[in-house]
Amino acid sequence: MIDMKYKRNFCITAHIDHGKSTLADRLIQKGKIIDERKMKDQLLDNMDIERERGITIKSQAVTIPYRANDGHDYELNFVDTPGHVDFSYEVSRAIASCEGALLLIDATQGVESQTVSNMYLALEHDLTIVPVINKIDLASADIEGTKEQIDKELGLDGSGALLVSAKTGQGIDELMEAIVTRFPAPTGDPEGQARALIFDCNYDEYRGVVVHVRVMDGRIKTGDIIRMVSNGTDYKVEQIGIFKIDFEETGILEAGDVGYIIGGMKTVSEVRVGDTITLAANPVTKPLPGFKEVKPVVYSSIYPMDSNDYEELKSALEKLKLNDASLVYEKDNSLALGNGFRCGFLGLLHLEVIQERLERDYDQAVIFTAPSVRYKLVLNSGEETFIDNPSEYPAGRIREAEEPYIRASIITPSEYLGSLMELCKQKRGEQTNMVYLDEKRVELTYEMPLAEVLFDFYDKLKSYSRGYASFDYEVIGYRPTKLVKVDFLVNGKIVDALSQLTFEANAADRAHKVCDRLKDEITREQFKIAIQGAIGGQIIARETVNPVRKDVLAKCYGGDISRKRKLLEKQKEGKKRMKMVGNVAIPQSAFLAVLKEKEEH
């Protein structure tokens, strides 16, 4: 085993698209832990969704060996983290297992909103931060400007920033040296009582639960009996080792190491991310400080397309929950869709990713309802309650309602300022601050309702600013609002899975949009189909799906007009009778169409 003073634990953190995964590839190549023939881009992004979307969703840990200029062999443990605001919980867990952070900044984009929030996350955990300027090989790279931004906006030493190009490999040697010289060695007592923090886990069909740990004190070996501090259950360690892309068994982990433990944990509910592992023979009583409880901001219900698949969906969600600790769910049911689950997510991208993972990794055909936020209600009786599900809305019994507000920070080139201010105003935002960061870039701070950001805010922000604006937010509490429940009726019957809670002034607009989208999705029948949006008994929007018309006059050529009229009257009567008994099938795509903005031509 390598002495503790020759170990370094660090993470790579940055705004989305600043080159974290590419930098991770270069470090892996330098460590020569994988055959050159097996090397591919974004090696650590091993989910199909990650590779297709070009984003990191799960943080991944890797151990690489490195011989420094001082002649010593070092062991570098690093974690590649996601950049998107919806996965900042992943970042906070990765950070808890490290002593240092490489804060990556794109030389063409400069400091962006997520760069700032990731830096604060690292500072909260007392990490040593080394700024790294990436993409210096590009013609549009502004290295001096980026150094100034590091000084001004982050308060770090811009002159000490390392210059690299993760794509070409330029500056990687200097970076490896800086990791060894600038980051502190891990602290801890290898001879003390064993304590290890669980910072991630995943489910393997053959091995059960694989636990990812950072050992703080003591050592754990194959064959040891380990104990989970939170629930007191014991397991025997079957396999223990480090991550070198695949699992590499070492038989022991000691203070300062990052690795994995497999110990016969069969079910998902036995392991909790943030828990402490200790030895049953000499247990610690006080757990390590875990992670702060994650608070979902977006709620949606998931139903299986076929109600017989309910149990399968339940086990798929359990396995996903193990791998993604920020997913929260409970049982739910609907008249239209049967039994399902009410889930809480950290944002809309998080919701989309969970949906794709359920469909791909677990082969589930599912329907999601329109996303909603959690509202705070004071009832006429004076009782306070929270609701996020339109079906629980206590109509007529509400004295006052409050909705969650966020503080949004938008960094944008100054030429897009006008259109972005207009967008925030449409979304009921109140401007609280505006700062010119330099000649070209402005930071806008707005306070706005979270519900307004859910549907199309992010897409519009990107299109208005041609992709240059960056957006980050935090929830700041509840404020009074006027809330109504909008129901949708198809042929006079309420479809409860389409109901939405919305701000009163936006209700008619919202209802028109949803009716319009449903009209495009519902297939035409032999009779007229009315699609209506209603608040209580009052209809506020309507669209009609026209009937398919059979040509009853086809055989009728020539002759008196009254013959034709008789046939048409007969058809009309038949259609009326059909309408009375006709049920409308609502396709899966209709539920999804409600969530998406219609393409504006």
Side-chain angles (χ1 to χ4, degrees):
M1 295 291 285
I2 284 185
D3 192 308
M4 203 198 297
K5 63 175 187 252
Y6 299 126
K7 291 174 185 166
R8 296 290 182 271
N9 298 323
F10 65 97
C11 58
I12 306 174
T13 165
H15 189 84
I16 191 166
D17 268 348
H18 280 207
K20 294 176 294 297
S21 299
T22 312
L23 182 63
D25 293 346
R26 294 295 84 75
L27 295 178
I28 290 166
Q29 261 181 327
K30 268 279 179 260
K32 296 192 169 61
I33 58 169
I34 185 167
D35 195 323
E36 278 295 331
R37 286 172 308 175
K38 290 188 186 161
M39 192 67 204
K40 59 182 178 184
D41 287 346
Q42 280 81 41
L43 187 70
L44 296 179
D45 291 348
N46 49 20
M47 289 195 296
D48 289 346
I49 307 176
E50 292 184 311
R51 303 193 72 79
E52 278 174 25
R53 290 181 176 233
I55 56 173
T56 302
I57 293 166
K58 286 292 302 167
S59 46
Q60 295 284 356
V62 181
T63 303
I64 56 174
Y66 173 63
R67 170 155 285 196
N69 292 347
D70 60 11
H72 288 293
D73 284 323
Y74 285 81
E75 198 174 79
L76 310 181
N77 293 312
F78 76 86
V79 188
D80 175 27
T81 65
H84 199 282
V85 61
D86 282 16
F87 305 114
S88 51
Y89 186 64
E90 277 288 327
V91 182
S92 73
R93 293 180 0 201
I95 281 176
S97 63
C98 303
E99 277 83 33
L102 293 178
L103 188 62
L104 210 58
I105 298 142
D106 181 336
T108 62
Q109 303 279 346
V111 171
E112 295 196 69
S113 48
Q114 207 54 31
T115 318
V116 184
S117 51
N118 281 342
M119 183 188 78
Y120 284 126
L121 262 181
L123 287 175
E124 272 173 35
H125 287 83
D126 293 334
L127 299 199
T128 305
I129 299 174
V130 173
V132 181
I133 299 176
N134 188 21
K135 308 197 185 178
I136 57 170
D137 58 310
L138 296 180
S140 55
D142 175 9
I143 295 167
E144 288 313 309
T146 308
K147 282 184 178 177
E148 265 177 47
Q149 287 174 23
I150 293 172
D151 274 338
K152 266 185 162 157
E153 292 166 42
L154 300 178
L156 300 171
D157 178 14
S159 60
L162 298 160
L163 305 179
V164 301
S165 163
K167 190 169 150 199
T168 63
Q170 182 185 345
I172 298 295
D173 291 333
E174 292 81 0
L175 177 65
M176 299 285 261
E177 267 310 302
I179 289 167
V180 168
T181 54
R182 291 208 211 171
F183 286 146
T187 53
D189 177 10
E191 305 305 323
Q193 288 177 296
R195 290 193 310 164
L197 176 74
I198 301 178
F199 69 89
D200 202 358
C201 26
N202 61 311
Y203 186 80
D204 185 300
E205 284 187 13
Y206 306 107
R207 300 165 172 165
V209 179
V210 181
V211 184
H212 300 205
V213 294
R214 158 70 199 271
V215 184
M216 299 298 183
D217 295 305
R219 50 175 69 90
I220 301 172
K221 306 185 294 296
T222 308
D224 281 349
I225 305 294
I226 54 171
R227 177 169 295 169
M228 302 281 176
V229 174
S230 68
N231 55 14
T233 47
D234 293 356
Y235 302 96
K236 186 178 179 182
V237 178
E238 293 166 8
Q239 191 181 335
I240 191 166
I242 57 175
F243 303 104
K244 286 206 172 168
I245 309 300
D246 295 322
F247 300 135
E248 185 173 295
E249 197 170 349
T250 57
I252 184 169
L253 287 178
E254 56 180 38
D257 283 338
V258 174
Y260 70 92
I261 296 175
I262 298 172
M265 295 151 228
K266 294 286 178 290
T267 63
V268 172
S269 52
E270 296 171 51
V271 184
R272 232 185 73 229
V273 168
D275 198 359
T276 304
I277 289 180
T278 183
L279 291 180
N282 182 13
V284 295
T285 47
K286 197 164 161 251
L288 293 158
F291 309 102
K292 55 177 184 270
E293 274 298 298
V294 59
K295 290 190 176 68
V297 293
V298 179
Y299 294 83
S300 172
S301 296
I302 306 181
Y303 299 96
M305 294 264 284
D306 180 348
S307 51
N308 298 331
D309 295 342
Y310 176 75
E311 287 300 323
E312 281 178 35
L313 177 62
K314 186 177 167 189
S315 83
L317 277 172
E318 277 183 1
K319 289 174 186 168
L320 258 180
K321 164 88 180 148
L322 178 74
N323 197 239
D324 180 352
S326 51
L327 176 67
V328 181
Y329 65 90
E330 60 190 32
K331 288 182 179 165
D332 188 27
N333 66 330
S334 139
L335 294 172
L337 299 169
N339 287 334
F341 295 93
R342 188 77 184 161
C343 298
F345 306 94
L346 296 184
L348 270 195
L349 179 67
H350 188 204
L351 183 150
E352 279 182 31
V353 164
I354 294 290
Q355 183 182 349
E356 282 196 36
R357 289 186 70 182
L358 281 172
E359 285 172 359
R360 291 179 176 199
D361 304 357
Y362 300 100
D363 226 11
Q364 297 294 310
V366 288
I367 293 175
F368 274 69
T369 61
S372 157
V373 296
R374 177 164 277 186
Y375 294 95
K376 185 174 173 181
L377 305 180
V378 178
L379 304 180
N380 292 336
S381 60
E383 181 196 344
E384 261 197 18
T385 178
F386 286 91
I387 65 160
D388 56 64
N389 198 341
S391 63
E392 294 163 5
Y393 184 72
R397 303 196 350 249
I398 299 169
R399 188 192 303 165
E400 52 194 60
E402 294 186 357
E403 64 179 330
Y405 263 67
I406 58 169
R407 181 178 296 114
S409 139
I410 300 168
I411 296 181
T412 172
S414 45
E415 65 253 41
Y416 306 117
L417 195 58
S419 53
L420 292 186
M421 285 167 84
E422 186 54 40
L423 171 67
C424 293
K425 197 170 148 196
Q426 280 171 18
K427 299 290 183 186
R428 298 192 279 142
E430 289 173 24
Q431 190 176 334
T432 56
N433 200 359
M434 179 167 122
V435 183
Y436 274 84
L437 301 171
D438 51 37
E439 304 83 73
K440 297 181 192 152
R441 291 158 69 248
V442 190
E443 180 174 18
L444 291 170
T445 311
Y446 272 86
E447 290 180 0
M448 56 169 72
L450 176 64
E452 295 288 339
V453 178
L454 280 194
F455 285 93
D456 57 348
F457 179 78
Y458 199 69
D459 297 343
K460 283 190 172 167
L461 178 87
K462 285 294 181 202
S463 66
Y464 286 5
S465 68
R466 301 198 182 156
Y468 282 111
S470 67
F471 170 67
D472 186 31
Y473 67 85
E474 57 176 339
V475 180
I476 53 173
Y478 281 82
R479 296 192 187 170
T481 183
K482 286 191 168 167
L483 190 63
V484 290
K485 177 186 176 190
V486 181
D487 287 314
F488 292 94
L489 296 85
V490 176
N491 241 15
K493 285 187 184 159
I494 289 183
V495 183
D496 62 345
L498 291 173
S499 299
Q500 296 182 14
L501 297 172
T502 181
F503 179 61
E504 191 176 11
N506 294 353
D509 186 41
R510 177 98 244 150
H512 278 293
K513 278 185 178 169
V514 173
C515 290
D516 187 34
R517 275 177 237 163
L518 286 173
K519 179 187 167 192
D520 296 342
E521 295 296 333
I522 290 175
T523 41
R524 288 166 71 179
E525 300 282 353
Q526 295 276 336
F527 50 90
K528 249 186 205 173
I529 302 171
I531 302 167
Q532 294 162 311
I535 298 176
Q538 183 190 2
I539 303 295
I540 55 170
R542 169 172 175 140
E543 290 287 341
T544 308
V545 180
N546 286 326
V548 182
R549 184 156 174 254
K550 185 181 172 195
D551 188 2
V552 287
L553 305 180
K555 300 196 222 42
C556 191
Y557 44 89
D560 189 35
I561 187 72
S562 59
R563 284 181 62 203
K564 292 184 182 177
R565 212 171 275 144
K566 184 181 165 192
L567 286 170
L568 289 171
E569 287 298 321
K570 200 171 165 191
Q571 183 185 34
K572 206 166 164 187
E573 283 302 309
K575 281 192 186 288
K576 260 192 197 152
R577 254 201 320 278
M578 267 178 108
K579 185 174 177 347
M580 279 152 56
V581 295
N583 280 337
V584 182
I586 300 173
Q588 145 84 347
S589 57
F591 291 97
L592 297 180
V594 174
L595 312 188
K596 298 268 186 285
E597 263 306 283
K598 209 169 183 186
E599 297 298 320
E600 289 174 10
H601 297 298

